[in-house]
Amino acid sequence: MQTAAPQKIYLKDYTPPAYLVDSVELTFKLAPTTTRVLSRIAFRPNPDAQSRDFFLHGEQLKLISASIDGVSITPEITATGLTHTVPNAPFVFEAEVEISPETNTALEGLYMSNGMYCTQCEAEGFRKITYYPDRPDVMSVFTVRIESDLPVLLSNGNPAAKGDGWAEWHDPWPKPAYLFALVGGDLVNHPDRFTTMSGKDVELNIWVRPGDDEQKCAFGMAALKKSMKWDEDVYGREYDLDIFNIVAVDDFNMGAMENKGLNIFNSSAVLASPETSTDANFERIEAIIAHEYFHNWTGNRITCRDWFQLCLKEGLTVFRDQQFTGDMRSHAVKRIDDAVVLRAHQFREDNGPLAHPVRPESFVEINNFYTVTVYEKGAEIIGMLKRLVGDDGYKKALDLYFDRHDGDAATIEDWLQVFEDATGRDLSQFAKWYSQAGTPRVSITDSYADGTYSLTLSQHTPATPDQDEKTPMVIPVAVGLLNDNGDEIVPTRILELTEATQTFTFDGLASKPVPSILRGFSAPVILEHDQTNAERAFLLAHDTDPFNRWDAGRTLAQDVLIQMVREDATPDTAYLDGLLALLRDDSLDPAFRALALSLPSQDDTAQALVDAGETPDPTAIYRAHEALTLHIAQHLQDTLPRIYADMMVTGPYTPDAVSAGKRSLGNRMLTLMSKLDGGKQASQQYATADNMTQQLAALASLLKIGKGADELAAFEQRWHHDRLVMDKWFGLQVSCAAPEDAAKVAAKLTEHPAFTMKNPNRFRAVFGALKGNTAGFHDPSGASYDLLADWLIKLDALNPQTTARMSTSFDTWKRYDADRQTKMKAALQRIAETPNLSRDTTEMVTRILG
Ligand code: PHE
Ligand code: ZN
């Protein structure tokens, strides 16, 4: 049932709900293809509403019966919902519907994953469960009864009662329907307890399917307890129910979901063990557990008025999980990691056809706006606010936010108002960060005379789809000054750039200083600063700000790469010597050294060439990256084995940040050594590794030099029973394939008996890796474009949300040469013309085509 043009929804059209809900009672009679859902909803007219029209969302539901105040009705039903006349006074609506979780492959609403019933309701999945005002500003108290023979039956809130074949749950906190959750299955729990700051005892559980997963919950549980304590210590926020449940499911479109008291997690975001998970997995799990837990206050207790306000909960919660990870591990390393992600993914989005404001003004399908812009740029905005108002101002504002808005469905205006009220600051210009899309460019010129150093900053933001005219933003630029000896003569200070061009002066300086600009990546902007390689090498050696020290090396590397792409040049020895000095500096954190030794991604290099007005050739970029890696390996040759040996003596595996940092540097050494020793060391590491971090790094090093066939087979033999490990096996082969082989390798893997497109993790393992193999994806044959298009067309019929998300692989098509453009455009058009293409994918492909 495909209607013509999908309808666009606008922020400016927001109107309050016509009816509010005082309470909801739901009864679920679980059955794979014939689940019955009985609802009893107490409505009352909203005094603030502009209309009295009664409309309940509902999709793909079979209505069995309905009544109002006990009198049976026959409502008018469309593809999107139900209407009927209602009393002009409080009334009770009741309905019974039938749904089919087993055939629900979209993984939205109530569905089944390996015999387990589970739900995903954000953003608009509840309407696939029953008829309801499925919008976040309608909040209500839920009571849920589940009837099933399955042993474990869970829902939100506190357990109320249970008996043979049924269980009841009551959630005392009013919530929007998107936070509803239900789980039914044959599950085992990893239990624990937590005592809150006011002395309340909370039961904690992580639920998994019986099998080897039981051993993999301890780390997640420890992370949960750390998160609960951290939110009390840092934000003064205490948990508010008697029980907190986490359930791991194998089939899930995203990372995890913050349903009240019943978080549902992609098993990849919670299960961990040294033998099966890498250091990166451990860190990600800790961050996602924290993120979902933190949503209990920023998202659940204070939710969003409408989906345009998504960044209100996501930007703030990402910012909070970033602070948490920094506190648990290393602030310097975390900031660099976040900047890498932001530049690689958010800048790419913000500079292409999918650019949109952090608070979008319209959408067709809200699922398409769970983006790096809403999440990561949304978090950057919070960081800038904190930098501008200071730590005390931030604390005051947050206390006021929780005080004033607890129980509300709030807006960005509410959020900014608490900062204005708490700090007295006018944020009207700052608010533009929420409405203006695109990455601002900040360019720098400077001069020195008579003891005064002048720094002139200019800003401009390029046009983005639907936004041609841009006006100046408030940009906090953290600056410090160094003298020729590398001593810091002016410590970090925040310059507030608010005009198109502004000059800032520093007095009383004996000579022209070396500026260190945008310290700590103080704003999500692109710096245009014509520095010489010598100045960059100087900052790489001396900057006291760890972020800028790393960034100086990164900019140098990018310059070197671009020279190599353009003219086959040999790399600047200033850069190679700088790396060697850094590598040998044992006073530096190994994790930091590992980051400093890694190169910008090939996609970053492509974007840098675009910014320089050139057409990037992915094959040439790939060759330059390979050549530079070899040069680095040769230049550092004598030091690699010593550092490798130092780093790899970590004793029994622990996932803590210090040990992980050592392994990260050690594995970086291994990659470089493999370029010179034919994989000898890597084979040995593979054979002796007792943890996945070292095993996988060894395998990757081998695959990248065209070896490792035996190890790959042994890996499969050993891990074929473990889905999450097999996702790594699928992904690694594609990401390490030579560009000309990538499409072939991916196509072959789709024929493997363990490949299934019904599992989003498996699909992403293969096709996410294909996108990540930049030269392979853009191989001149166009084979990868065709393969991905074929599979997206197949997947769309089953899972529109994941299809739409994966279609973003094509979003850089306009960057490239005519031949590649033609091929990518043809692939996109082929997707667009697929009969019955989902609304999700239609919107994305249309926007990408522009
Ligand atoms: N709200 C979830 C989070 O940020 C993400 C999510 C969105 C999960 C939509 C599922 C569906 O943690
Ligand atoms: Zn979130």
Side-chain angles (χ1 to χ4, degrees), residues 298-523:
T298 51
N300 301 2
R301 288 287 286 257
I302 304 178
T303 193
C304 303
R305 185 193 71 173
D306 56 72
W307 290 117
F308 296 102
Q309 322 294 329
L310 181 59
C311 63
L312 179 75
K313 73 177 178 81
E314 295 305 344
L316 177 54
T317 305
V318 170
F319 180 71
R320 276 150 51 71
D321 83 54
Q322 292 173 345
Q323 287 182 299
F324 169 80
T325 299
D327 283 355
M328 296 298 124
R329 292 163 180 263
S330 149
H331 284 284
V333 169
K334 177 61 177 161
R335 192 66 192 131
I336 294 168
D337 285 341
D338 289 340
V340 167
V341 169
L342 197 83
R343 286 173 172 168
H345 303 290
Q346 200 279 323
F347 283 14
R348 166 173 166 155
E349 184 166 86
D350 228 357
N351 289 285
L354 297 175
H356 56 274
V358 171
R359 179 170 68 178
E361 257 127 52
S362 70
F363 61 74
V364 172
E365 170 52 64
I366 185 57
N367 282 336
N368 289 334
F369 285 85
Y370 286 77
T371 60
V372 269
T373 296
V374 170
Y375 276 64
E376 263 69 28
K377 190 176 178 181
E380 290 300 318
I381 298 180
I382 316 286
M384 285 190 285
L385 258 179
K386 185 161 181 279
R387 246 159 256 137
L388 290 170
V389 303
D391 292 353
D392 289 347
Y394 179 78
K395 191 178 178 319
K396 267 194 222 140
L398 267 283
D399 287 344
L400 182 58
Y401 180 60
F402 292 122
D403 241 35
R404 186 182 284 176
H405 292 294
D406 187 10
D408 285 355
T411 62
I412 290 301
E413 282 71 22
D414 295 329
W415 164 253
L416 289 173
Q417 191 64 49
V418 299
F419 276 80
E420 294 202 337
D421 293 350
T423 67
R425 213 189 146 99
D426 176 358
L427 291 172
S428 42
Q429 188 188 356
F430 184 83
K432 229 177 282 171
W433 278 106
Y434 287 102
S435 59
Q436 195 161 279
T439 309
R441 312 300 202 257
V442 174
S443 59
I444 313 283
T445 55
D446 64 352
S447 63
Y448 173 81
D450 305 327
T452 298
Y453 177 65
S454 305
L455 202 54
T456 299
L457 309 182
S458 303
Q459 60 165 305
H460 93 103
T461 304
T464 53
D466 304 330
Q467 278 187 352
D468 294 336
E469 298 299 320
K470 310 278 181 176
T471 52
M473 316 272 274
V474 182
I475 303 178
V477 182
V479 172
L481 302 179
L482 307 177
N483 70 12
D484 288 345
N485 301 328
D487 306 321
E488 185 161 279
I489 44 170
V490 173
T492 307
R493 123 168 22 150
I494 305 276
L495 310 180
E496 287 184 29
L497 177 62
T498 57
E499 318 269 322
T501 297
Q502 243 170 304
T503 298
F504 301 87
T505 55
F506 301 81
D507 298 325
L509 303 178
S511 60
K512 185 174 183 190
V514 182
S516 164
I517 300 174
L518 206 68
R519 283 186 155 183
F521 198 49
S522 60

Side-chain angles (χ1 to χ4, degrees), residues 108 120-123 178 252-258 264 288 291-292 295 310 313-314 317-318 367 370 375 801 805:
E108 198 184 48
Q120 175 51 45
C121 294
E122 187 178 7
Y178 84 86
F252 201 76
N253 280 329
M254 308 278 273
M257 179 62 210
E258 69 263 24
I264 296 183
I288 296 183
H291 179 98
E292 305 311 332
H295 267 314
L310 181 59
K313 73 177 178 81
E314 295 305 344
T317 305
V318 170
N367 282 336
Y370 286 77
Y375 276 64
Q801 198 179 333
R805 187 162 282 266

Side-chain angles (χ1 to χ4, degrees), residues 639-651 662 665-667 669-670 673 681 685 694:
T639 311
L640 298 175
R642 179 193 54 94
I643 306 279
Y644 177 76
D646 286 357
M647 293 303 134
M648 289 313 198
V649 287
T650 48
K662 286 186 174 176
L665 183 55
N667 282 331
M669 301 295 96
L670 184 69
M673 285 153 80
Q681 192 65 52
Q685 177 168 317
Q694 284 168 326

Side-chain angles (χ1 to χ4, degrees), residues 584-600:
R584 284 183 177 154
D585 184 348
D586 290 321
S587 72
L588 290 172
D589 177 5
F592 177 84
R593 280 186 272 167
L595 285 168
L597 282 163
S598 64
L599 297 180

Side-chain angles (χ1 to χ4, degrees), residues 641-775:
R642 179 193 54 94
I643 306 279
Y644 177 76
D646 286 357
M647 293 303 134
M648 289 313 198
V649 287
T650 48
Y653 180 91
T654 55
D656 64 281
V658 173
S659 324
K662 286 186 174 176
R663 279 186 294 269
S664 167
L665 183 55
N667 282 331
R668 184 74 200 139
M669 301 295 96
L670 184 69
T671 306
L672 295 171
M673 285 153 80
S674 302
K675 297 278 173 196
L676 307 173
D677 75 356
K680 208 166 135 252
Q681 192 65 52
S683 298
Q684 197 187 324
Q685 177 168 317
Y686 184 86
T688 56
D690 66 351
N691 63 80
M692 184 50 68
T693 306
Q694 284 168 326
Q695 190 171 74
L696 204 67
L699 184 55
S701 289
L702 290 169
L703 294 176
K704 275 191 221 140
I705 56 167
K707 306 221 163 142
D710 292 347
E711 283 82 358
L712 203 55
F715 191 99
E716 183 187 11
Q717 188 75 42
R718 172 152 179 214
W719 295 114
H720 62 93
H721 62 280
D722 188 310
R723 293 162 190 272
L724 295 175
V725 179
M726 284 305 283
D727 287 337
K728 302 183 199 308
W729 182 84
F730 274 90
L732 201 66
Q733 296 178 62
V734 181
S735 54
C736 295
E740 63 278 14
D741 298 334
K744 256 176 284 163
V745 171
K748 180 123 187 292
L749 285 170
T750 62
E751 286 158 20
H752 190 283
F755 179 82
T756 163
M757 65 172 161
K758 284 194 177 167
N759 178 261
N761 290 0
R762 189 58 46 90
F763 190 88
R764 280 189 290 253
V766 173
F767 290 104
L770 188 59
K771 170 194 183 183
N773 186 331
T774 308

